[in-house]
Amino acid sequence: MSRNALIQFIFFVTGLAALPACADSFSLPATNSISRVVTVTDANALFDYQPEAGVVQSMVNRGITTMAGTRDVSAAWLTFVSTNDIIGIKVFSASGEICGTRPAVAAAVVHGLLQAGIPARHIVIWDKDRDDLRAAGYFSLGKQLGVRVASATATGYDPTNFYLPDSPVIGILHYGDLEFGQKGNDIGKKSYVSMLVSRQFTRIISIAPLMNNNDVGVYGHLYNVAIGSVDNTFRFEEDAGRLANAVPEIYAMQSVGDKVVLNITDALLGQYEGGPNGLLQYSDVLDELWFSRDPVALDTLAADKLKSERVAHDAAKFEFHTDLYTNAALLELGFNDPAKITVEKVR
């Protein structure tokens, strides 16, 4: 039985949503029996909630060399990417520069890639919305580093590459969506992949903040990459059940998740309430960065960490939907079972 056929069978017997109509356009990545997570901690990483650039750079260097098993930073980066790759660094900028993906972390990744010999023209910092990127300081950062900063929406969407759920929900299209302003029976049923992702990038590095999502636990790597890569997403984001099905299915597309080679959770701060709005009063200073090839493992650990932070602060309790991570594990995107996740701590 083929891998896709096996997954279809699993969805059938468990009653979960079926694979998207474009399922034959992606291949499922091979997984190991254990997912490895490396966490780097430095108590000097933040000062007055602002990252110390030199300390963050050292943390990124330690994380990537530990992941690669070498002391050479350049060699470590070249185990994930090559000098011929066009590399998209996916950030989460909607929450601003203090509570979203912190520009200092993205800058440290860029410096590492440049040191490894990746041409500056091959590096792109990106997110979905141009205004969010600008407000979070990424256009200024890109100018400073000599790399491109790009918006998925402003770049446009690929009419030949799309996600169509098995039971499509018609979305209310917004300006920037490919089919905005069009009429017809099937208009609004598809989510098109950004041309940045489908036609430009050969590799993607995801940097997601440790920030809560009341529906699915965390604005993590699965959400960061999947929702950032396609249009017509409001139909999923307003319903936790739809989101739990759509996010892993979009991520599993060959043109999307197959390009992700590294995930970094920006856990310098952990915001346990209020996401995606940046609210420092609901945040703890953790001074950590987490690294893994497995987005499911990182997101699972992140959701558990934020749950423990809410308990520690006697904050409002809520039960988020864990189906997203179960579905992602069924699609072999990674592991959501703590017994299959090993955490290596570096200080």
Side-chain angles (χ1 to χ4, degrees), residues 153-228:
T153 301
T155 303
Y157 292 94
D158 186 346
T160 68
N161 200 306
F162 56 85
Y163 167 70
L164 177 63
D166 186 63
S167 299
V169 175
I170 297 177
I172 299 175
L173 298 168
H174 293 72
Y175 180 78
D177 290 340
L178 182 69
E179 295 180 332
F180 178 76
Q182 298 182 23
K183 304 293 183 182
N185 292 333
D186 292 328
I187 298 299
K189 292 183 178 180
K190 298 173 182 175
S191 289
Y192 293 89
V193 179
S194 171
M195 288 191 286
L196 271 179
V197 178
S198 67
R199 301 190 183 187
Q200 296 188 30
F201 301 149
T202 60
R203 295 289 184 267
I204 293 173
I205 296 170
S206 171
I207 312 176
L210 183 59
M211 172 173 284
N212 87 294
N213 179 306
N214 288 355
D215 290 327
V216 294
V218 64
Y219 286 99
H221 299 285
L222 294 167
Y223 180 98
N224 186 40
V225 172
I227 297 300

Side-chain angles (χ1 to χ4, degrees), residues 302-324:
D304 288 344
K305 178 63 175 177
L306 293 177
K307 183 177 181 179
S308 69
E309 291 297 308
R310 284 192 293 275
V311 171
H313 288 274
D314 197 25
K317 297 180 181 179
F318 61 88
E319 291 298 325
F320 61 85
H321 293 255
T322 60
D323 290 349
L324 188 153

Side-chain angles (χ1 to χ4, degrees), residues 20-347:
C22 54
D24 58 359
S25 69
F26 65 78
S27 59
L28 298 172
T31 56
N32 298 316
S33 57
I34 294 291
S35 285
R36 181 175 178 233
V37 172
V38 170
T39 67
V40 182
T41 305
D42 193 315
N44 298 312
L46 291 179
F47 178 77
D48 196 21
Y49 294 109
Q50 294 291 338
E52 294 289 334
V55 177
V56 171
Q57 184 69 66
S58 176
M59 293 172 73
V60 169
N61 291 351
R62 280 180 281 161
I64 198 68
T65 52
T66 303
M67 284 287 296
T70 176
R71 294 182 179 181
D72 186 277
V73 175
S74 296
W77 279 111
L78 292 175
T79 66
F80 294 91
V81 298
S82 77
T83 55
N84 293 325
D85 281 320
I86 306 299
I87 303 162
I89 300 174
K90 176 65 174 74
V91 298
F92 187 77
S93 60
S95 303
E97 63 180 318
I98 295 179
C99 293
T101 300
R102 278 151 276 273
V105 180
V109 171
V110 171
H111 285 306
L113 295 173
L114 292 172
Q115 181 179 335
I118 309 299
R121 66 182 183 278
H122 286 192
I123 302 171
V124 184
I125 300 172
W126 69 287
D127 201 357
K128 192 166 190 174
D129 186 81
R130 176 186 288 174
D131 290 340
D132 288 342
L133 284 163
R134 190 175 306 281
Y138 280 104
F139 279 99
S140 297
L141 179 66
K143 185 176 181 180
Q144 173 189 333
L145 297 174
V147 302
R148 188 155 62 99
V149 177
S151 153
T153 301
T155 303
Y157 292 94
D158 186 346
T160 68
N161 200 306
F162 56 85
Y163 167 70
L164 177 63
D166 186 63
S167 299
V169 175
I170 297 177
I172 299 175
L173 298 168
H174 293 72
Y175 180 78
D177 290 340
L178 182 69
E179 295 180 332
F180 178 76
Q182 298 182 23
K183 304 293 183 182
N185 292 333
D186 292 328
I187 298 299
K189 292 183 178 180
K190 298 173 182 175
S191 289
Y192 293 89
V193 179
S194 171
M195 288 191 286
L196 271 179
V197 178
S198 67
R199 301 190 183 187
Q200 296 188 30
F201 301 149
T202 60
R203 295 289 184 267
I204 293 173
I205 296 170
S206 171
I207 312 176
L210 183 59
M211 172 173 284
N212 87 294
N213 179 306
N214 288 355
D215 290 327
V216 294
V218 64
Y219 286 99
H221 299 285
L222 294 167
Y223 180 98
N224 186 40
V225 172
I227 297 300
S229 294
V230 300
D231 72 352
N232 191 18
T233 58
F234 290 98
R235 57 188 175 146
F236 308 132
E237 296 179 88
E238 64 185 11
D239 184 279
R242 294 176 194 164
L243 196 65
N245 287 330
V247 164
E249 290 179 353
I250 294 168
Y251 194 101
M253 294 173 66
Q254 186 176 26
S255 59
V256 182
D258 275 13
K259 296 182 178 182
V260 180
V261 293
L262 179 66
N263 305 279
I264 303 173
T265 298
D266 178 351
L268 298 178
L269 284 176
Q271 183 174 318
Y272 54 87
E273 277 191 38
N277 297 316
L279 301 173
L280 288 175
Q281 65 267 38
Y282 298 127
S283 302
D284 280 337
V285 174
L286 302 178
D287 291 321
E288 295 179 356
L289 297 176
W290 306 350
F291 301 76
S292 184
R293 293 182 183 270
D294 183 345
V296 186
L298 283 180
D299 286 358
T300 299
L301 294 176
D304 288 344
K305 178 63 175 177
L306 293 177
K307 183 177 181 179
S308 69
E309 291 297 308
R310 284 192 293 275
V311 171
H313 288 274
D314 197 25
K317 297 180 181 179
F318 61 88
E319 291 298 325
F320 61 85
H321 293 255
T322 60
D323 290 349
L324 188 153
Y325 310 107
T326 301
N327 294 349
L330 286 171
L331 285 173
E332 298 186 9
L333 301 178
F335 290 117
N336 67 330
D337 181 356
K340 295 183 177 180
I341 303 170
T342 178
V343 178
E344 183 176 347
K345 297 182 179 181
V346 178
R347 295 186 181 275

